[in-house]
Amino acid sequence: MLTVGKDARDVEWRLRRGRLRCPGCDGLLAPWGYARRRTVWGAGRAWRFRPRRGLCQGCGRTHVLMPVNVLWHRRDGVEVIGEVFARCAAGQGFRAIAVAVGRSQGTVRGWVRRMRACAERVRVGFTVVAAGLGADPPGLAAAGSTVADAVNAVMALAAAAGRRFPELVAAGVDVWEMACAVTGGMLLAPPAITGRINTNSTLVTLLD
């Protein structure tokens, strides 16, 4: 899976012109059909889309090209899950969060558990990436919980990325979409996968 921009026409244009590269070997991707159609639920709306597939001309691997507002194996948009992450960091319980975001208590409880499980990895990974994006690495004070510390690191990375790549902000890529991008859509994935927190190469993919 490769995280790309939100505009399907722009993704198609870049794919056909050799502007997208394989995250494994840096080879050029070429069009290779489509993945299955899916529905994603955002904040007050739902949308259906069918992701494009790209075939690497170097190593021969195929990649599903996912928009930057969709996380791995999640049917809810990253803006909803990001809001849950932020509310959890602020100390809200899953029942109050469920009411605020319009999701079931069971769904939100599962997200909160996953956030608490991956928070330390997110904090460390995002702090490292934020430091790599700026000449003045962020000094992040403890925020009172592992989830709050992780959210602070996400915000620090977004601020650093906005300064390094102002085109991202101009293109409307928000904080949680940046978080989705640098984890390759795997912000809440299991440990072995969450270790993929990347450098600025994925952010460049959104701009190329």
Side-chain angles (χ1 to χ4, degrees):
M1 188 176 81
L2 176 64
T3 301
V4 293
K6 293 183 285 188
D7 187 331
R9 290 173 298 182
D10 178 63
V11 171
E12 183 71 20
W13 184 89
R14 289 189 288 157
L15 181 62
R16 290 187 176 277
R17 286 161 178 76
R19 302 288 293 275
L20 295 175
R21 292 185 174 274
C22 174
C25 74
D26 204 38
L28 296 178
L29 298 184
W32 192 253
Y34 295 85
R36 65 177 177 82
R37 193 175 298 278
R38 61 194 71 193
T39 300
V40 175
W41 297 87
R45 64 188 180 92
W47 69 92
R48 288 179 61 79
F49 70 102
R50 193 177 183 192
R52 200 66 157 101
R53 284 185 182 273
L55 173 69
C56 178
Q57 303 300 288
C59 66
R61 292 181 59 190
T62 61
H63 300 276
V64 178
L65 308 181
M66 293 293 287
V68 73
N69 50 359
V70 177
L71 291 173
W72 182 76
H73 280 196
R74 300 289 172 177
R75 296 186 61 185
D76 293 85
V78 71
E79 76 274 18
V80 176
I81 294 174
E83 182 177 354
V84 172
F85 215 141
R87 288 179 178 274
C88 179
Q92 289 189 12
F94 72 87
R95 293 182 179 85
I97 297 174
V99 172
V101 302
R103 298 297 189 271
S104 72
Q105 291 186 12
T107 295
V108 172
R109 181 170 52 222
W111 288 346
V112 169
R113 286 174 178 168
R114 170 52 57 191
M115 288 165 187
R116 288 172 176 161
C118 71
E120 179 60 14
R121 293 191 301 276
V122 170
R123 181 193 69 80
V124 172
F126 276 69
T127 300
V128 169
V129 176
L133 286 172
D136 185 19
L140 300 178
S145 72
T146 56
V147 174
D149 290 343
V151 170
N152 275 358
V154 171
M155 297 299 175
L157 179 139
R163 290 190 294 269
R164 177 76 172 270
F165 303 112
E167 306 97 318
L168 286 172
V169 178
V173 180
D174 66 23
V175 170
W176 293 104
E177 290 171 347
M178 291 185 194
C180 179
V182 300
T183 57
M186 298 183 180
L187 179 65
L188 297 182
I193 300 175
T194 316
R196 285 183 48 178
I197 292 176
N198 207 339
T199 60
N200 62 6
S201 59
T202 307
L203 296 174
V204 172
T205 298
L206 302 181
L207 296 170
D208 190 15

